[in-house]
Amino acid sequence: MYSQEQMLKIIQEKNVEFLRLQFTDISGIVKNVAIPATQMGKALKSGISFDGSSIEGFARIQESDMVLRPDLSTFSLLPWSTKDDVNEARLICDVHLPNGLPFEGAPRRVLYRQLERAKEMGFKMNVGPELEFFLFEKGNGGSATTPHDFGGYFDLGPVDLAEDVRREITRALIKMGFTIEASHHEVARGQHEIDFVYDDAIKNADKVVTFKYVTKTIAMRQGLRATFMPKPVYGAAGSGMHVNISLFRGLENAFYDPETPLNISDLARFFVGGLIEHASAITAIANPLINSYKRLVSGFEAPVYITWSGPNRSSLIRIPSGRGLSTRLEFRSPDTSCNPYLTFAVILAAGLDGIKRGIDPGDPVDLNVYHLTAAERKSLGIQTLPSNLKEALDHLEGDKVIREALGEHVYENVMRLGMLEWEEYNKFVHPWEIDRYINTY
Ligand code: ADP
Ligand code: MG
Ligand code: MG
Ligand code: MG
Ligand code: MG
């Protein structure tokens, strides 16, 4: 962590001309204001004011003044900005009210609040997100979904034309402080994944946001379009953001217990119990778009049923095979359109509720749940994830724990924006309907 003096010195040494002060709106979209380096002293001292009423899900007009306070630990040069030794840098900011208090409706703040609760219970949350994305040809006014290559899972060039782009993205991420574990072609044509190492939840929520705009920027510079839309191509796999989670107590992984059959602790099981109990409400946050629900269908390794298991990739919660320090749960429903701060916050709130109440998740279901009949699922007590945004919002409305975790401000705005999206979509006459009905009726 830098002091203000150190920060100013670094800015000078690195010849930083502009600083981008960044934060996310309620949908996880990065907002930023650029200031010349000469304004940095002022920004550090008193923050930078902005109009909160222009940011989705923030303030009402009558109380719109808000202040950005840069988190100095997030300082990073933008690798593509260097020109004639002059640099641009970014800082991620917290949002405050003019009276100095934190703005409780800012997504980063929502995650802080849950991490504080975890800390009071003695835990630190670690998160390892896996992001998938598509690379498309540009053209067609920018909305074409022509994949950029013909590769498949783990394929090697020359079919995987995107190897070069992936390498460029990886390079830029490494320059910005990422530790990359792997990068590979995914199942669908044009689909890729780059994994970075797990870390503290705030740091990795920041990294998810950074990951997305670095990927988009590098792709654009190579004449391609990167998208984190959950299901861009009908009939192909969608883009998920599996969230790997563990709780640490000091240096120990509190999810590990060599004495039990699965080698996971009761605490881990209770965390799973909490996730299962709140899974439907979490969906409204982890799968926030109309399009999100076109990914949550059977046949593509995306979860549909609320189950947990050992290695089974058809379940909502998987326990990957790593043990010891890498003992973790993998929560598989979130997609790449979610706001990572809010998503990690509600996952943690659900898990902590499970721990507090000792919620038993029942036995793991080590079957391919896609292949079970409705009757078999019923006899096993297996519930289904919401199948559309409206259902998910209804579940959120009825879930006190998840609502409280979001806080009134964020909750109200998630509901409002979600319902707007749902109504807009329902009013529209889609091409699918024309194809299907126009001749028959
Ligand atoms: P998959 O087999 O599901 O494709 P990946 O290897 O792509 O898994 O990703 C695994 C993720 O889990 C990585 O981000 C990794 O850093 C993370 N991870 C490893 N150990 C832990 C842990 N203890 N807590 C949280 N995440 C972890
Ligand atoms: Mg993976
Ligand atoms: Mg991987
Ligand atoms: Mg994957
Ligand atoms: Mg995974």
Side-chain angles (χ1 to χ4, degrees):
M1 183 66 177
Y2 306 107
S3 71
Q4 295 196 2
E5 292 69 41
Q6 282 169 326
M7 187 85 279
L8 290 170
K9 203 164 152 230
I10 290 171
I11 287 168
Q12 207 172 36
E13 278 169 8
K14 300 280 181 194
N15 216 2
V16 174
E17 191 179 24
F18 289 104
L19 279 139
R20 295 186 174 273
L21 304 184
Q22 301 179 335
F23 61 104
T24 66
D25 69 7
I26 201 165
S27 309
I29 307 298
V30 183
K31 300 285 159 185
N32 84 116
V33 49
I35 59 169
T38 49
Q39 294 299 303
M40 191 54 194
K42 182 175 159 245
L44 289 178
K45 216 170 276 142
S46 44
I48 292 286
S49 301
F50 71 102
D51 173 7
S53 68
S54 305
I55 302 297
E56 195 59 83
F58 274 29
R60 289 181 298 266
I61 298 279
Q62 61 271 27
E63 46 195 46
S64 59
D65 281 351
M66 293 193 174
V67 180
L68 293 178
R69 292 199 165 279
D71 176 344
L72 302 189
S73 69
T74 65
F75 176 86
S76 172
L77 297 178
L78 298 177
W80 55 86
S81 72
T82 314
K83 214 178 139 200
D84 305 327
D85 271 346
V86 178
N87 282 303
E88 252 181 71
R90 74 85 201 265
L91 283 161
I92 294 175
C93 300
D94 287 311
V95 183
H96 288 253
L97 299 171
N99 65 11
L101 290 175
F103 169 49
E104 298 296 341
R108 207 169 187 244
R109 175 74 188 163
V110 173
L111 179 54
Y112 267 129
R113 284 202 305 264
Q114 288 311 307
L115 293 172
E116 279 303 310
R117 286 189 56 220
K119 203 166 146 192
E120 280 163 20
M121 293 167 72
F123 302 120
K124 171 178 181 268
M125 185 200 205
N126 278 311
V127 178
E130 304 168 52
L131 282 96
E132 294 170 336
F133 58 92
F134 278 80
L135 290 174
F136 292 129
E137 304 281 358
K138 275 193 174 166
N140 212 3
S143 62
T145 52
T146 319
H148 161 250
D149 70 87
F150 296 89
Y153 187 68
F154 268 48
D155 271 349
L156 181 67
V159 266
D160 181 4
L161 298 174
E163 245 170 30
D164 287 346
V165 192
R166 238 173 25 226
R167 185 167 46 235
E168 284 311 306
I169 296 168
T170 306
R171 269 201 193 119
L173 292 169
I174 289 170
K175 279 190 190 154
M176 293 188 77
F178 282 68
T179 305
I180 302 294
E181 283 190 340
S183 85
H184 59 86
H185 202 291
E186 256 305 337
V187 178
R189 281 171 56 187
Q191 195 187 28
H192 305 274
E193 175 173 320
I194 301 178
D195 300 315
F196 48 95
V197 71
Y198 72 93
D199 203 344
D200 164 87
I202 286 273
K203 282 195 188 137
N204 265 357
D206 287 344
K207 283 205 163 85
V208 167
V209 168
T210 304
F211 183 98
K212 289 186 194 173
Y213 79 76
V214 168
T215 301
K216 280 173 174 282
T217 305
I218 303 292
M220 197 159 61
R221 293 167 76 89
Q222 309 255 346
L224 297 171
R225 167 180 306 275
T227 184
F228 293 90
M229 175 181 175
K231 182 84 171 191
V233 182
Y234 167 70
S239 292
M241 185 180 87
H242 298 165
V243 181
N244 293 268
I245 311 142
S246 59
L247 292 184
F248 273 52
R249 217 190 263 115
L251 294 176
E252 261 169 43
N253 188 328
F255 281 178
Y256 180 54
D257 182 352
E259 306 294 310
T260 67
L262 269 174
N263 292 343
I264 61 167
S265 63
D266 279 346
L267 202 92
R269 291 181 61 253
F270 297 151
F271 198 107
V272 171
L275 279 176
I276 286 180
E277 171 141 338
H278 299 290
S280 294
I282 292 175
T283 310
I285 303 299
N287 307 87
L289 304 184
I290 294 287
N291 185 250
S292 297
Y293 296 85
K294 305 198 169 166
R295 169 178 163 260
L296 296 179
V297 296
S298 52
F300 299 97
E301 285 195 359
V304 180
Y305 305 107
I306 305 178
T307 56
W308 75 291
S309 74
N312 184 346
R313 286 177 196 260
S314 69
S315 56
L316 172 64
I317 300 157
R318 183 172 76 103
I319 317 288
S321 53
R323 289 296 181 270
L325 281 186
S326 30
T327 312
R328 61 188 187 269
L329 314 175
E330 181 188 41
F331 190 61
R332 297 170 61 84
S333 59
D335 66 57
T336 35
S337 70
C338 74
N339 181 321
Y341 301 100
L342 299 182
T343 300
F344 298 168
V346 293
I347 286 173
L348 181 55
L352 293 181
D353 188 50
I355 290 172
K356 272 200 168 147
R357 292 164 49 205
I359 302 176
D360 186 338
D363 290 331
V365 179
D366 289 320
L367 306 158
N368 187 334
V369 255
Y370 301 138
H371 294 163
L372 297 176
T373 64
E376 285 168 328
R377 286 198 308 270
K378 199 170 171 210
S379 75
L380 289 166
I382 296 175
Q383 308 267 325
T384 306
L385 281 173
S387 57
N388 61 51
L389 183 57
K390 173 69 165 61
E391 251 185 65
L393 292 169
D394 288 345
H395 281 284
L396 175 59
E397 193 175 19
D399 192 319
K400 205 163 152 271
V401 169
I402 302 302
R403 279 176 64 161
E404 271 177 22
L406 293 173
E408 245 351 80
H409 190 103
V410 170
Y411 166 72
E412 296 288 346
N413 279 291
V414 165
M415 291 301 285
R416 181 179 60 80
L417 292 168
M419 283 311 291
L420 268 179
E421 172 124 331
W422 176 248
E423 280 157 17
E424 190 59 38
Y425 177 75
N426 276 345
K427 272 189 285 191
F428 194 80
V429 179
H430 302 267
W432 182 90
E433 294 169 88
I434 304 290
D435 286 353
R436 189 121 172 149
Y437 304 135
I438 201 146
N439 284 321
T440 318
Y441 296 94

